[in-house]
PDB file of all heavy atoms in Angstrom:
ATOM      1  N   LEU A 690      10.735   7.613   9.212  1.00  0.00           N
ATOM      2  CA  LEU A 690       9.356   7.286   9.129  1.00  0.00           C
ATOM      3  C   LEU A 690       8.431   8.520   9.652  1.00  0.00           C
ATOM      4  O   LEU A 690       7.309   8.503   9.277  1.00  0.00           O
ATOM      5  CB  LEU A 690       9.048   6.082  10.050  1.00  0.00           C
ATOM      6  CG  LEU A 690       9.608   4.783   9.581  1.00  0.00           C
ATOM      7  CD1 LEU A 690       9.321   3.678  10.554  1.00  0.00           C
ATOM      8  CD2 LEU A 690       9.065   4.424   8.182  1.00  0.00           C
ATOM      9  N   ASN A 691       9.020   9.359  10.486  1.00  0.00           N
ATOM     10  CA  ASN A 691       8.208  10.386  10.992  1.00  0.00           C
ATOM     11  C   ASN A 691       8.953  11.663  11.252  1.00  0.00           C
ATOM     12  O   ASN A 691       8.995  12.163  12.491  1.00  0.00           O
ATOM     13  CB  ASN A 691       7.525   9.833  12.272  1.00  0.00           C
ATOM     14  CG  ASN A 691       6.306  10.599  12.697  1.00  0.00           C
ATOM     15  OD1 ASN A 691       5.938  11.608  12.177  1.00  0.00           O
ATOM     16  ND2 ASN A 691       5.617  10.039  13.723  1.00  0.00           N
ATOM     17  N   PRO A 692       9.493  12.309  10.255  1.00  0.00           N
ATOM     18  CA  PRO A 692      10.283  13.493  10.519  1.00  0.00           C
ATOM     19  C   PRO A 692       9.493  14.705  11.070  1.00  0.00           C
ATOM     20  O   PRO A 692      10.040  15.602  11.591  1.00  0.00           O
ATOM     21  CB  PRO A 692      10.855  13.800   9.092  1.00  0.00           C
ATOM     22  CG  PRO A 692       9.936  13.170   8.147  1.00  0.00           C
ATOM     23  CD  PRO A 692       9.367  11.997   8.889  1.00  0.00           C
ATOM     24  N   ASN A 693       8.135  14.620  11.005  1.00  0.00           N
ATOM     25  CA  ASN A 693       7.383  15.780  11.543  1.00  0.00           C
ATOM     26  C   ASN A 693       7.147  15.572  13.110  1.00  0.00           C
ATOM     27  O   ASN A 693       6.577  16.476  13.688  1.00  0.00           O
ATOM     28  CB  ASN A 693       6.005  15.855  10.857  1.00  0.00           C
ATOM     29  CG  ASN A 693       5.127  14.666  11.067  1.00  0.00           C
ATOM     30  OD1 ASN A 693       5.508  13.690  11.692  1.00  0.00           O
ATOM     31  ND2 ASN A 693       3.931  14.625  10.457  1.00  0.00           N
ATOM     32  N   LEU A 694       7.529  14.478  13.623  1.00  0.00           N
ATOM     33  CA  LEU A 694       7.495  14.175  15.063  1.00  0.00           C
ATOM     34  C   LEU A 694       6.091  14.228  15.647  1.00  0.00           C
ATOM     35  O   LEU A 694       5.895  14.470  16.865  1.00  0.00           O
ATOM     36  CB  LEU A 694       8.385  15.172  15.851  1.00  0.00           C
ATOM     37  CG  LEU A 694       9.911  15.133  15.475  1.00  0.00           C
ATOM     38  CD1 LEU A 694      10.691  16.114  16.300  1.00  0.00           C
ATOM     39  CD2 LEU A 694      10.525  13.789  15.567  1.00  0.00           C
ATOM     40  N   ILE A 695       5.130  13.841  14.847  1.00  0.00           N
ATOM     41  CA  ILE A 695       3.726  13.695  15.365  1.00  0.00           C
ATOM     42  C   ILE A 695       3.429  12.241  15.366  1.00  0.00           C
ATOM     43  O   ILE A 695       3.392  11.596  14.367  1.00  0.00           O
ATOM     44  CB  ILE A 695       2.775  14.559  14.481  1.00  0.00           C
ATOM     45  CG1 ILE A 695       3.138  16.048  14.562  1.00  0.00           C
ATOM     46  CG2 ILE A 695       1.311  14.256  14.962  1.00  0.00           C
ATOM     47  CD1 ILE A 695       2.316  16.915  13.654  1.00  0.00           C
ATOM     48  N   PHE A 696       3.186  11.704  16.567  1.00  0.00           N
ATOM     49  CA  PHE A 696       2.913  10.283  16.749  1.00  0.00           C
ATOM     50  C   PHE A 696       1.493  10.085  17.139  1.00  0.00           C
ATOM     51  O   PHE A 696       0.868  10.900  17.801  1.00  0.00           O
ATOM     52  CB  PHE A 696       3.857   9.779  17.812  1.00  0.00           C
ATOM     53  CG  PHE A 696       5.336   9.880  17.429  1.00  0.00           C
ATOM     54  CD1 PHE A 696       6.018  10.997  17.823  1.00  0.00           C
ATOM     55  CD2 PHE A 696       6.003   8.922  16.719  1.00  0.00           C
ATOM     56  CE1 PHE A 696       7.391  11.153  17.451  1.00  0.00           C
ATOM     57  CE2 PHE A 696       7.309   9.039  16.364  1.00  0.00           C
ATOM     58  CZ  PHE A 696       8.000  10.128  16.740  1.00  0.00           C
ATOM     59  N   ASN A 697       0.953   8.942  16.675  1.00  0.00           N
ATOM     60  CA  ASN A 697      -0.428   8.708  17.050  1.00  0.00           C
ATOM     61  C   ASN A 697      -0.574   7.285  17.734  1.00  0.00           C
ATOM     62  O   ASN A 697       0.189   6.399  17.509  1.00  0.00           O
ATOM     63  CB  ASN A 697      -1.252   8.603  15.730  1.00  0.00           C
ATOM     64  CG  ASN A 697      -1.289   9.957  15.024  1.00  0.00           C
ATOM     65  OD1 ASN A 697      -1.601  10.946  15.625  1.00  0.00           O
ATOM     66  ND2 ASN A 697      -0.921   9.988  13.795  1.00  0.00           N
ATOM     67  N   GLN A 698      -1.587   7.278  18.567  1.00  0.00           N
ATOM     68  CA  GLN A 698      -1.965   6.004  19.172  1.00  0.00           C
ATOM     69  C   GLN A 698      -3.204   5.396  18.389  1.00  0.00           C
ATOM     70  O   GLN A 698      -4.006   6.130  17.963  1.00  0.00           O
ATOM     71  CB  GLN A 698      -2.361   6.185  20.578  1.00  0.00           C
ATOM     72  CG  GLN A 698      -1.272   6.567  21.530  1.00  0.00           C
ATOM     73  CD  GLN A 698      -1.695   6.756  22.902  1.00  0.00           C
ATOM     74  OE1 GLN A 698      -2.882   6.639  23.287  1.00  0.00           O
ATOM     75  NE2 GLN A 698      -0.746   6.931  23.803  1.00  0.00           N
ATOM     76  N   ILE A 699      -3.196   4.045  18.365  1.00  0.00           N
ATOM     77  CA  ILE A 699      -4.362   3.372  17.719  1.00  0.00           C
ATOM     78  C   ILE A 699      -4.962   2.532  18.864  1.00  0.00           C
ATOM     79  O   ILE A 699      -4.276   1.660  19.435  1.00  0.00           O
ATOM     80  CB  ILE A 699      -3.963   2.530  16.544  1.00  0.00           C
ATOM     81  CG1 ILE A 699      -3.385   3.387  15.442  1.00  0.00           C
ATOM     82  CG2 ILE A 699      -5.115   1.680  16.036  1.00  0.00           C
ATOM     83  CD1 ILE A 699      -2.747   2.652  14.309  1.00  0.00           C
ATOM     84  N   ASP A 700      -6.276   2.851  19.182  1.00  0.00           N
ATOM     85  CA  ASP A 700      -6.951   2.149  20.323  1.00  0.00           C
ATOM     86  C   ASP A 700      -6.146   2.143  21.599  1.00  0.00           C
ATOM     87  O   ASP A 700      -6.035   1.226  22.336  1.00  0.00           O
ATOM     88  CB  ASP A 700      -7.244   0.646  19.879  1.00  0.00           C
ATOM     89  CG  ASP A 700      -8.199   0.542  18.711  1.00  0.00           C
ATOM     90  OD1 ASP A 700      -9.078   1.477  18.651  1.00  0.00           O
ATOM     91  OD2 ASP A 700      -8.080  -0.381  17.929  1.00  0.00           O
ATOM     92  N   GLY A 701      -5.479   3.289  21.846  1.00  0.00           N
ATOM     93  CA  GLY A 701      -4.712   3.540  23.114  1.00  0.00           C
ATOM     94  C   GLY A 701      -3.377   2.916  23.110  1.00  0.00           C
ATOM     95  O   GLY A 701      -2.653   3.056  24.103  1.00  0.00           O
ATOM     96  N   ASP A 702      -2.937   2.341  21.966  1.00  0.00           N
ATOM     97  CA  ASP A 702      -1.661   1.722  21.868  1.00  0.00           C
ATOM     98  C   ASP A 702      -0.762   2.489  20.888  1.00  0.00           C
ATOM     99  O   ASP A 702      -1.200   3.041  19.848  1.00  0.00           O
ATOM    100  CB  ASP A 702      -1.726   0.240  21.463  1.00  0.00           C
ATOM    101  CG  ASP A 702      -2.274  -0.642  22.569  1.00  0.00           C
ATOM    102  OD1 ASP A 702      -2.120  -0.370  23.716  1.00  0.00           O
ATOM    103  OD2 ASP A 702      -3.009  -1.612  22.142  1.00  0.00           O
ATOM    104  N   PHE A 703       0.525   2.502  21.177  1.00  0.00           N
ATOM    105  CA  PHE A 703       1.495   3.054  20.284  1.00  0.00           C
ATOM    106  C   PHE A 703       2.335   1.941  19.686  1.00  0.00           C
ATOM    107  O   PHE A 703       2.971   1.191  20.440  1.00  0.00           O
ATOM    108  CB  PHE A 703       2.374   4.081  20.967  1.00  0.00           C
ATOM    109  CG  PHE A 703       3.459   4.593  20.123  1.00  0.00           C
ATOM    110  CD1 PHE A 703       3.203   5.303  19.027  1.00  0.00           C
ATOM    111  CD2 PHE A 703       4.763   4.452  20.572  1.00  0.00           C
ATOM    112  CE1 PHE A 703       4.289   5.810  18.214  1.00  0.00           C
ATOM    113  CE2 PHE A 703       5.855   4.952  19.724  1.00  0.00           C
ATOM    114  CZ  PHE A 703       5.587   5.563  18.528  1.00  0.00           C
ATOM    115  N   ASP A 704       2.436   1.772  18.436  1.00  0.00           N
ATOM    116  CA  ASP A 704       3.247   0.743  17.789  1.00  0.00           C
ATOM    117  C   ASP A 704       4.669   1.383  17.349  1.00  0.00           C
ATOM    118  O   ASP A 704       4.756   2.061  16.355  1.00  0.00           O
ATOM    119  CB  ASP A 704       2.544   0.271  16.483  1.00  0.00           C
ATOM    120  CG  ASP A 704       3.276  -0.893  15.884  1.00  0.00           C
ATOM    121  OD1 ASP A 704       4.218  -1.408  16.458  1.00  0.00           O
ATOM    122  OD2 ASP A 704       2.917  -1.256  14.755  1.00  0.00           O
ATOM    123  N   ASP A 705       5.549   1.028  18.213  1.00  0.00           N
ATOM    124  CA  ASP A 705       6.945   1.577  17.990  1.00  0.00           C
ATOM    125  C   ASP A 705       7.727   0.605  17.123  1.00  0.00           C
ATOM    126  O   ASP A 705       8.907   0.881  16.797  1.00  0.00           O
ATOM    127  CB  ASP A 705       7.645   1.926  19.277  1.00  0.00           C
ATOM    128  CG  ASP A 705       7.706   0.864  20.275  1.00  0.00           C
ATOM    129  OD1 ASP A 705       7.063  -0.213  20.100  1.00  0.00           O
ATOM    130  OD2 ASP A 705       8.511   0.958  21.268  1.00  0.00           O
ATOM    131  N   GLU A 706       7.241  -0.598  16.835  1.00  0.00           N
ATOM    132  CA  GLU A 706       7.992  -1.589  16.129  1.00  0.00           C
ATOM    133  C   GLU A 706       8.537  -1.189  14.809  1.00  0.00           C
ATOM    134  O   GLU A 706       9.720  -1.431  14.558  1.00  0.00           O
ATOM    135  CB  GLU A 706       7.080  -2.859  15.915  1.00  0.00           C
ATOM    136  CG  GLU A 706       7.859  -4.017  15.359  1.00  0.00           C
ATOM    137  CD  GLU A 706       6.996  -5.321  15.269  1.00  0.00           C
ATOM    138  OE1 GLU A 706       6.223  -5.510  16.187  1.00  0.00           O
ATOM    139  OE2 GLU A 706       7.100  -5.978  14.279  1.00  0.00           O
ATOM    140  N   PRO A 707       7.814  -0.442  13.972  1.00  0.00           N
ATOM    141  CA  PRO A 707       8.345  -0.008  12.708  1.00  0.00           C
ATOM    142  C   PRO A 707       9.654   0.876  12.839  1.00  0.00           C
ATOM    143  O   PRO A 707      10.589   0.843  11.958  1.00  0.00           O
ATOM    144  CB  PRO A 707       7.222   0.849  12.067  1.00  0.00           C
ATOM    145  CG  PRO A 707       6.005   0.313  12.691  1.00  0.00           C
ATOM    146  CD  PRO A 707       6.412  -0.046  14.080  1.00  0.00           C
ATOM    147  N   TYR A 708       9.713   1.683  13.863  1.00  0.00           N
ATOM    148  CA  TYR A 708      10.859   2.559  14.169  1.00  0.00           C
ATOM    149  C   TYR A 708      12.115   1.707  14.444  1.00  0.00           C
ATOM    150  O   TYR A 708      13.204   2.081  14.051  1.00  0.00           O
ATOM    151  CB  TYR A 708      10.585   3.550  15.206  1.00  0.00           C
ATOM    152  CG  TYR A 708       9.352   4.413  14.839  1.00  0.00           C
ATOM    153  CD1 TYR A 708       8.120   4.135  15.285  1.00  0.00           C
ATOM    154  CD2 TYR A 708       9.558   5.591  14.139  1.00  0.00           C
ATOM    155  CE1 TYR A 708       7.009   4.898  15.022  1.00  0.00           C
ATOM    156  CE2 TYR A 708       8.532   6.340  13.800  1.00  0.00           C
ATOM    157  CZ  TYR A 708       7.235   6.065  14.240  1.00  0.00           C
ATOM    158  OH  TYR A 708       6.130   6.834  13.909  1.00  0.00           O
ATOM    159  N   TRP A 709      11.894   0.654  15.176  1.00  0.00           N
ATOM    160  CA  TRP A 709      13.008  -0.234  15.541  1.00  0.00           C
ATOM    161  C   TRP A 709      13.375  -1.148  14.382  1.00  0.00           C
ATOM    162  O   TRP A 709      14.584  -1.436  14.202  1.00  0.00           O
ATOM    163  CB  TRP A 709      12.640  -1.059  16.779  1.00  0.00           C
ATOM    164  CG  TRP A 709      12.727  -0.195  18.007  1.00  0.00           C
ATOM    165  CD1 TRP A 709      11.664   0.281  18.717  1.00  0.00           C
ATOM    166  CD2 TRP A 709      13.969   0.264  18.606  1.00  0.00           C
ATOM    167  NE1 TRP A 709      12.148   1.123  19.731  1.00  0.00           N
ATOM    168  CE2 TRP A 709      13.507   1.096  19.763  1.00  0.00           C
ATOM    169  CE3 TRP A 709      15.278   0.096  18.405  1.00  0.00           C
ATOM    170  CZ2 TRP A 709      14.416   1.768  20.613  1.00  0.00           C
ATOM    171  CZ3 TRP A 709      16.185   0.734  19.219  1.00  0.00           C
ATOM    172  CH2 TRP A 709      15.819   1.545  20.249  1.00  0.00           C
ATOM    173  N   LYS A 710      12.387  -1.598  13.648  1.00  0.00           N
ATOM    174  CA  LYS A 710      12.692  -2.543  12.496  1.00  0.00           C
ATOM    175  C   LYS A 710      13.484  -1.848  11.369  1.00  0.00           C
ATOM    176  O   LYS A 710      14.415  -2.462  10.892  1.00  0.00           O
ATOM    177  CB  LYS A 710      11.440  -3.046  11.863  1.00  0.00           C
ATOM    178  CG  LYS A 710      10.843  -4.266  12.648  1.00  0.00           C
ATOM    179  CD  LYS A 710       9.756  -4.879  11.862  1.00  0.00           C
ATOM    180  CE  LYS A 710       9.472  -6.258  12.475  1.00  0.00           C
ATOM    181  NZ  LYS A 710       8.451  -6.967  11.718  1.00  0.00           N
ATOM    182  N   ILE A 711      13.312  -0.561  11.207  1.00  0.00           N
ATOM    183  CA  ILE A 711      14.077   0.177  10.188  1.00  0.00           C
ATOM    184  C   ILE A 711      15.523   0.314  10.658  1.00  0.00           C
ATOM    185  O   ILE A 711      16.419   0.416   9.766  1.00  0.00           O
ATOM    186  CB  ILE A 711      13.405   1.505   9.866  1.00  0.00           C
ATOM    187  CG1 ILE A 711      13.812   1.895   8.378  1.00  0.00           C
ATOM    188  CG2 ILE A 711      13.768   2.589  10.897  1.00  0.00           C
ATOM    189  CD1 ILE A 711      12.846   2.953   7.911  1.00  0.00           C
ATOM    190  N   SER A 712      15.759   0.359  11.932  1.00  0.00           N
ATOM    191  CA  SER A 712      17.179   0.557  12.347  1.00  0.00           C
ATOM    192  C   SER A 712      17.905  -0.739  12.618  1.00  0.00           C
ATOM    193  O   SER A 712      19.045  -0.694  12.752  1.00  0.00           O
ATOM    194  CB  SER A 712      17.155   1.331  13.687  1.00  0.00           C
ATOM    195  OG  SER A 712      16.687   0.578  14.765  1.00  0.00           O
ATOM    196  N   THR A 713      17.175  -1.858  12.549  1.00  0.00           N
ATOM    197  CA  THR A 713      17.763  -3.203  12.834  1.00  0.00           C
ATOM    198  C   THR A 713      18.779  -3.190  13.937  1.00  0.00           C
ATOM    199  O   THR A 713      19.882  -3.556  13.787  1.00  0.00           O
ATOM    200  CB  THR A 713      18.380  -3.787  11.552  1.00  0.00           C
ATOM    201  OG1 THR A 713      19.478  -2.927  11.081  1.00  0.00           O
ATOM    202  CG2 THR A 713      17.437  -3.991  10.402  1.00  0.00           C
ATOM    203  N   THR A 714      18.282  -2.840  15.135  1.00  0.00           N
ATOM    204  CA  THR A 714      19.103  -2.719  16.269  1.00  0.00           C
ATOM    205  C   THR A 714      19.178  -4.074  17.012  1.00  0.00           C
ATOM    206  O   THR A 714      18.095  -4.688  17.301  1.00  0.00           O
ATOM    207  CB  THR A 714      18.488  -1.677  17.312  1.00  0.00           C
ATOM    208  OG1 THR A 714      18.416  -0.408  16.604  1.00  0.00           O
ATOM    209  CG2 THR A 714      19.381  -1.546  18.519  1.00  0.00           C
ATOM    210  N   ASN A 715      20.394  -4.559  17.273  1.00  0.00           N
ATOM    211  CA  ASN A 715      20.543  -5.793  17.950  1.00  0.00           C
ATOM    212  C   ASN A 715      20.245  -5.664  19.461  1.00  0.00           C
ATOM    213  O   ASN A 715      20.548  -4.615  20.047  1.00  0.00           O
ATOM    214  CB  ASN A 715      21.979  -6.274  17.749  1.00  0.00           C
ATOM    215  CG  ASN A 715      22.213  -7.632  18.312  1.00  0.00           C
ATOM    216  OD1 ASN A 715      22.339  -7.844  19.505  1.00  0.00           O
ATOM    217  ND2 ASN A 715      22.368  -8.618  17.372  1.00  0.00           N
ATOM    218  N   LYS A 716      19.685  -6.719  20.021  1.00  0.00           N
ATOM    219  CA  LYS A 716      19.270  -6.642  21.435  1.00  0.00           C
ATOM    220  C   LYS A 716      20.483  -6.390  22.372  1.00  0.00           C
ATOM    221  O   LYS A 716      20.310  -5.791  23.449  1.00  0.00           O
ATOM    222  CB  LYS A 716      18.544  -7.882  21.876  1.00  0.00           C
ATOM    223  CG  LYS A 716      19.407  -9.115  21.864  1.00  0.00           C
ATOM    224  CD  LYS A 716      18.566 -10.323  22.264  1.00  0.00           C
ATOM    225  CE  LYS A 716      19.453 -11.573  22.215  1.00  0.00           C
ATOM    226  NZ  LYS A 716      18.697 -12.832  22.520  1.00  0.00           N
ATOM    227  N   GLY A 717      21.708  -6.759  21.909  1.00  0.00           N
ATOM    228  CA  GLY A 717      22.912  -6.441  22.725  1.00  0.00           C
ATOM    229  C   GLY A 717      23.203  -5.005  22.893  1.00  0.00           C
ATOM    230  O   GLY A 717      23.994  -4.616  23.660  1.00  0.00           O
ATOM    231  N   PHE A 718      22.574  -4.150  22.030  1.00  0.00           N
ATOM    232  CA  PHE A 718      22.801  -2.738  22.039  1.00  0.00           C
ATOM    233  C   PHE A 718      22.518  -2.134  23.443  1.00  0.00           C
ATOM    234  O   PHE A 718      23.151  -1.194  23.858  1.00  0.00           O
ATOM    235  CB  PHE A 718      21.778  -2.082  21.021  1.00  0.00           C
ATOM    236  CG  PHE A 718      21.748  -0.604  20.971  1.00  0.00           C
ATOM    237  CD1 PHE A 718      22.676  -0.002  20.138  1.00  0.00           C
ATOM    238  CD2 PHE A 718      20.844   0.187  21.583  1.00  0.00           C
ATOM    239  CE1 PHE A 718      22.674   1.412  19.978  1.00  0.00           C
ATOM    240  CE2 PHE A 718      20.835   1.539  21.523  1.00  0.00           C
ATOM    241  CZ  PHE A 718      21.732   2.143  20.650  1.00  0.00           C
ATOM    242  N   PHE A 719      21.588  -2.803  24.184  1.00  0.00           N
ATOM    243  CA  PHE A 719      21.174  -2.291  25.523  1.00  0.00           C
ATOM    244  C   PHE A 719      22.034  -2.863  26.656  1.00  0.00           C
ATOM    245  O   PHE A 719      21.708  -2.558  27.838  1.00  0.00           O
ATOM    246  CB  PHE A 719      19.731  -2.464  25.700  1.00  0.00           C
ATOM    247  CG  PHE A 719      18.872  -1.484  24.869  1.00  0.00           C
ATOM    248  CD1 PHE A 719      18.451  -1.818  23.626  1.00  0.00           C
ATOM    249  CD2 PHE A 719      18.707  -0.183  25.338  1.00  0.00           C
ATOM    250  CE1 PHE A 719      17.752  -0.940  22.864  1.00  0.00           C
ATOM    251  CE2 PHE A 719      18.003   0.757  24.514  1.00  0.00           C
ATOM    252  CZ  PHE A 719      17.503   0.287  23.291  1.00  0.00           C
ATOM    253  N   LEU A 720      22.911  -3.764  26.407  1.00  0.00           N
ATOM    254  CA  LEU A 720      23.682  -4.391  27.540  1.00  0.00           C
ATOM    255  C   LEU A 720      24.373  -3.404  28.404  1.00  0.00           C
ATOM    256  O   LEU A 720      24.399  -3.597  29.647  1.00  0.00           O
ATOM    257  CB  LEU A 720      24.690  -5.401  26.960  1.00  0.00           C
ATOM    258  CG  LEU A 720      24.054  -6.685  26.418  1.00  0.00           C
ATOM    259  CD1 LEU A 720      25.118  -7.614  25.807  1.00  0.00           C
ATOM    260  CD2 LEU A 720      23.325  -7.453  27.586  1.00  0.00           C
ATOM    261  N   PRO A 721      24.890  -2.238  27.994  1.00  0.00           N
ATOM    262  CA  PRO A 721      25.445  -1.246  28.815  1.00  0.00           C
ATOM    263  C   PRO A 721      24.557  -0.686  29.912  1.00  0.00           C
ATOM    264  O   PRO A 721      24.951  -0.238  30.933  1.00  0.00           O
ATOM    265  CB  PRO A 721      25.973  -0.201  27.906  1.00  0.00           C
ATOM    266  CG  PRO A 721      26.118  -0.869  26.648  1.00  0.00           C
ATOM    267  CD  PRO A 721      25.092  -1.868  26.552  1.00  0.00           C
ATOM    268  N   ILE A 722      23.178  -0.833  29.640  1.00  0.00           N
ATOM    269  CA  ILE A 722      22.250  -0.370  30.675  1.00  0.00           C
ATOM    270  C   ILE A 722      22.389  -1.098  31.977  1.00  0.00           C
ATOM    271  O   ILE A 722      22.045  -0.607  32.998  1.00  0.00           O
ATOM    272  CB  ILE A 722      20.763  -0.550  30.088  1.00  0.00           C
ATOM    273  CG1 ILE A 722      20.594   0.499  28.939  1.00  0.00           C
ATOM    274  CG2 ILE A 722      19.724  -0.357  31.168  1.00  0.00           C
ATOM    275  CD1 ILE A 722      20.535   1.938  29.347  1.00  0.00           C
ATOM    276  N   ALA A 723      22.933  -2.383  31.933  1.00  0.00           N
ATOM    277  CA  ALA A 723      23.138  -3.121  33.147  1.00  0.00           C
ATOM    278  C   ALA A 723      24.118  -2.428  34.082  1.00  0.00           C
ATOM    279  O   ALA A 723      24.056  -2.795  35.346  1.00  0.00           O
ATOM    280  CB  ALA A 723      23.600  -4.512  32.788  1.00  0.00           C
ATOM    281  N   GLN A 724      24.858  -1.501  33.602  1.00  0.00           N
ATOM    282  CA  GLN A 724      25.737  -0.702  34.541  1.00  0.00           C
ATOM    283  C   GLN A 724      24.886   0.295  35.243  1.00  0.00           C
ATOM    284  O   GLN A 724      25.359   0.919  36.244  1.00  0.00           O
ATOM    285  CB  GLN A 724      26.842  -0.046  33.780  1.00  0.00           C
ATOM    286  CG  GLN A 724      27.799  -1.128  33.180  1.00  0.00           C
ATOM    287  CD  GLN A 724      28.761  -0.449  32.232  1.00  0.00           C
ATOM    288  OE1 GLN A 724      28.831   0.756  32.016  1.00  0.00           O
ATOM    289  NE2 GLN A 724      29.673  -1.237  31.614  1.00  0.00           N
ATOM    290  N   ILE A 725      23.743   0.696  34.743  1.00  0.00           N
ATOM    291  CA  ILE A 725      22.859   1.694  35.321  1.00  0.00           C
ATOM    292  C   ILE A 725      21.722   1.019  36.158  1.00  0.00           C
ATOM    293  O   ILE A 725      21.476   1.452  37.285  1.00  0.00           O
ATOM    294  CB  ILE A 725      22.213   2.576  34.207  1.00  0.00           C
ATOM    295  CG1 ILE A 725      23.321   3.265  33.394  1.00  0.00           C
ATOM    296  CG2 ILE A 725      21.349   3.653  34.843  1.00  0.00           C
ATOM    297  CD1 ILE A 725      22.844   3.867  32.092  1.00  0.00           C
TER     298      ILE A 725
END
C-alpha cells in the first residue's frame, strides 16, 4: 500500500487498518507478547 514509506494523518489521526486488512493477521499472532 505504501512502498514510498510516506504516511499521512487525517485530522490528527492515522488509519492503520488498511495495512492490517491486507495482511489478514489473526489476533492470535500477538499471543507471544504475553511472554514480554
Side-chain angles (χ1 to χ4, degrees):
L690 294 177
N691 201 352
N693 65 0
L694 301 179
I695 297 173
F696 299 89
N697 297 306
Q698 293 181 353
I699 299 172
D700 296 328
D702 289 327
F703 173 63
D704 183 12
D705 56 348
E706 186 174 322
Y708 300 94
W709 286 103
K710 277 192 167 183
I711 206 163
S712 73
T713 61
T714 303
N715 188 284
K716 66 182 180 183
F718 179 83
F719 287 95
L720 287 175
I722 291 292
Q724 296 173 0
I725 303 168

